[in-house]
Amino acid sequence: MRITFIVTDRNMSGGVRVIAIYAEKLKARGHDVTIVSRPRADQPVRRKIKSLVKGNGWPIDPNTLPSHFDNLTVRHHIIESRRPIGDSDVPDGDVVIATWWETASWVNDLSPKKGAKAYFVQDFGANDAQPIERLAATWNMPMHKIVISSYIRDLVREHIPADEPLSLVGNSADLEIFRTPRRGKQPTPTVGTMYSTESFKRLDLCLNAVGIARKQLPELRLVAFGPHAESDKYPLPPNSQLHHNVPDDRVKDIYSQCDAWLFGPAKEGYGLPILEAMACRTPVIATPAGAAPELLEQGGGILVDHGDSEGMAAAIVRICSMDESSWRAMSDKAYATVAAFTWDHAADLLEAALKTAVDRARIARTQSVRGAQDEIQA
């Protein structure tokens, strides 16, 4: 198949990482794959001058920052400006895929020559910045929906016709990158988390939980990594370490030095850090966001209520206080959860979903032609 992914812009987000993985997997299977994206958004000149006056220097060009699309072997066409992507930017093909709510209307407006239309729904929206009615309008566009978790599936189902087919394609973690040998607990109790200043990620919940847990585990360490430098809004407690813009080949070392990984979002499309931590044999303590409930049901971690810092702290104490054999048993269950579903398996499901999109588009065209012929005959 000739497949095109339409992306808002390239970056280091988990969603872009997933698209990059699938693009390479599909190309390896003999498909002709193209990614079309826009340049990254630059800061207004006023903000750049403000940064310079404050002594922080002139901000770096965002288009020079790293992206998960760097070093891909598939074609990646970046259009010249932040305008919507249109027919002139997209090659003719068999299927074209919207990858974010903003791209859905662009894909919906493309010529049929660009391919059957699919909508890869990886998240619940623009970090809650858009009203649900606006998001639901994109879910009701005539495209085959592909969702990554039961959470997203159920959310979309609330707003589309009950009989409309959906494809569920869950994520995985690259075991070649994140694989680590069996190990025991850390000499010093250690937990980790993603450091993100997006409010819905609830970094505050995880930091509060660490503070509470330290009342029983005074030596408890915290390690974190993420795209943001430390913010005054989310100061790290003592005995913490923050890694900024960590390359993929070093991320596994961070996961692997933890007895538990903390995942606290109020909402999430999937939650790749859960899988990545589990692939590194690290149990996860998570709120029931994204795929957390289904990923933890095999015993590779502990599920706590949304916003429950006391409950997360109790889970930290429980895991860090386990005897060695009990911790290893939970660690093994975490790894087994990921090992049971590989990216190749996920690519099988995505490939089947794209073929479904092509078949549905062909059936719709046939029905449209027959309807027109019936009108003429009538």
Side-chain angles (χ1 to χ4, degrees):
M1 288 186 289
R2 296 167 297 168
I3 301 167
T4 304
F5 290 90
I6 305 299
V7 184
T8 51
D9 57 51
R10 65 200 192 280
N11 54 56
M12 291 296 290
S13 69
V16 168
R17 180 203 290 268
V18 170
I19 293 166
I21 291 170
Y22 280 135
E24 291 285 14
K25 291 288 185 184
L26 291 168
K27 180 185 176 183
R29 293 169 180 231
H31 300 291
D32 184 0
V33 181
T34 302
I35 297 172
V36 181
S37 71
R38 303 182 302 177
R40 285 174 170 169
D42 202 357
Q43 295 185 31
V45 174
R46 179 181 298 177
R47 187 176 297 175
K48 293 181 178 181
I49 294 174
K50 186 176 180 180
S51 173
L52 191 63
V53 170
K54 285 186 171 183
N56 297 324
W58 194 259
I60 190 171
D61 179 355
N63 289 292
T64 65
L65 295 173
S67 158
H68 289 302
F69 290 162
D70 296 342
N71 304 316
L72 286 184
T73 65
V74 302
R75 284 186 301 276
H76 179 200
H77 171 51
I78 305 171
I79 66 174
E80 82 291 346
S81 70
R82 293 281 296 176
R83 62 172 174 80
I85 292 170
D87 276 349
S88 62
D89 309 307
V90 180
D92 292 351
D94 298 301
V95 61
V96 57
I97 309 165
T99 59
W100 180 243
W101 70 270
E102 189 178 4
T103 67
S105 60
W106 306 345
V107 170
N108 190 51
D109 292 341
L110 291 176
S111 162
K113 292 182 180 180
K114 306 306 172 182
K117 297 170 182 179
Y119 189 176
F120 189 36
V121 186
Q122 296 195 74
D123 213 334
F124 54 85
N127 302 345
D128 276 350
Q130 297 297 325
I132 191 66
E133 293 78 13
R134 185 168 184 180
L135 301 175
T138 69
W139 299 334
N140 276 285
M141 290 175 180
M143 294 179 276
H144 181 64
K145 264 66 75 178
I146 304 167
V147 297
I148 64 170
S149 68
S150 57
Y151 170 80
I152 294 295
R153 178 196 61 203
D154 295 344
L155 180 61
V156 172
R157 275 264 176 245
E158 293 177 9
H159 300 279
I160 66 172
D163 60 347
E164 181 176 344
L166 295 176
S167 294
L168 175 59
V169 180
N171 288 331
S172 185
D174 191 334
L175 295 180
E176 294 304 315
I177 295 177
F178 295 103
R179 183 191 301 273
T180 58
R182 291 191 73 205
R183 58 188 173 84
K185 294 170 61 181
Q186 303 301 310
T188 299
T190 305
V191 295
T193 193
M194 288 290 297
Y195 192 93
S196 172
T197 57
E198 296 282 0
S199 59
F200 77 98
K201 294 289 190 180
R202 292 303 310 270
L203 175 61
D204 60 320
L205 171 68
C206 299
L207 297 181
N208 290 340
V210 170
I212 296 169
R214 279 182 172 172
K215 295 175 182 178
Q216 297 184 59
L217 299 171
E219 296 182 354
L220 181 66
R221 292 180 61 242
L222 173 66
V223 295
F225 75 93
H228 304 123
E230 186 173 357
S231 164
D232 292 339
K233 185 178 179 181
Y234 299 107
L236 290 169
N239 200 24
S240 299
Q241 187 175 24
L242 174 61
H243 303 269
H244 184 221
N245 284 332
V246 184
D248 285 350
D249 59 356
R250 284 185 49 219
V251 170
K252 72 174 183 179
D253 297 328
I254 299 173
Y255 286 125
S256 299
Q257 63 181 280
C258 298
D259 295 310
W261 191 259
L262 311 182
F263 180 82
K267 289 186 177 181
E268 187 63 77
Y270 191 87
L272 275 179
I274 301 175
L275 279 177
E276 293 170 355
M278 286 179 152
C280 295
R281 300 181 184 274
T282 301
V284 174
I285 302 169
T287 54
E294 54 218 80
L295 292 175
L296 297 186
E297 66 183 3
Q298 301 303 318
I302 299 174
L303 206 64
V304 299
D305 292 336
H306 285 297
D308 185 3
S309 55
E310 295 279 354
M312 181 172 281
I316 292 172
V317 172
R318 175 183 165 189
I319 290 178
C320 291
S321 301
M322 283 180 170
D323 61 68
E324 190 74 15
S325 62
S326 297
W327 186 91
R328 282 178 178 265
M330 182 176 280
S331 171
D332 289 344
K333 289 177 181 177
Y335 179 78
T337 299
V338 183
F341 189 77
T342 66
W343 276 119
D344 284 329
H345 182 201
D348 289 340
L349 296 179
L350 179 63
E351 192 175 34
L354 297 180
K355 289 177 180 177
T356 297
V358 172
D359 291 341
R360 289 187 64 194
R362 183 178 63 250
I363 292 170
R365 286 195 303 270
T366 301
Q367 291 175 341
S368 178
V369 170
R370 287 176 180 172
Q373 290 173 342
D374 290 343
E375 283 190 20
I376 294 173
Q377 292 175 356

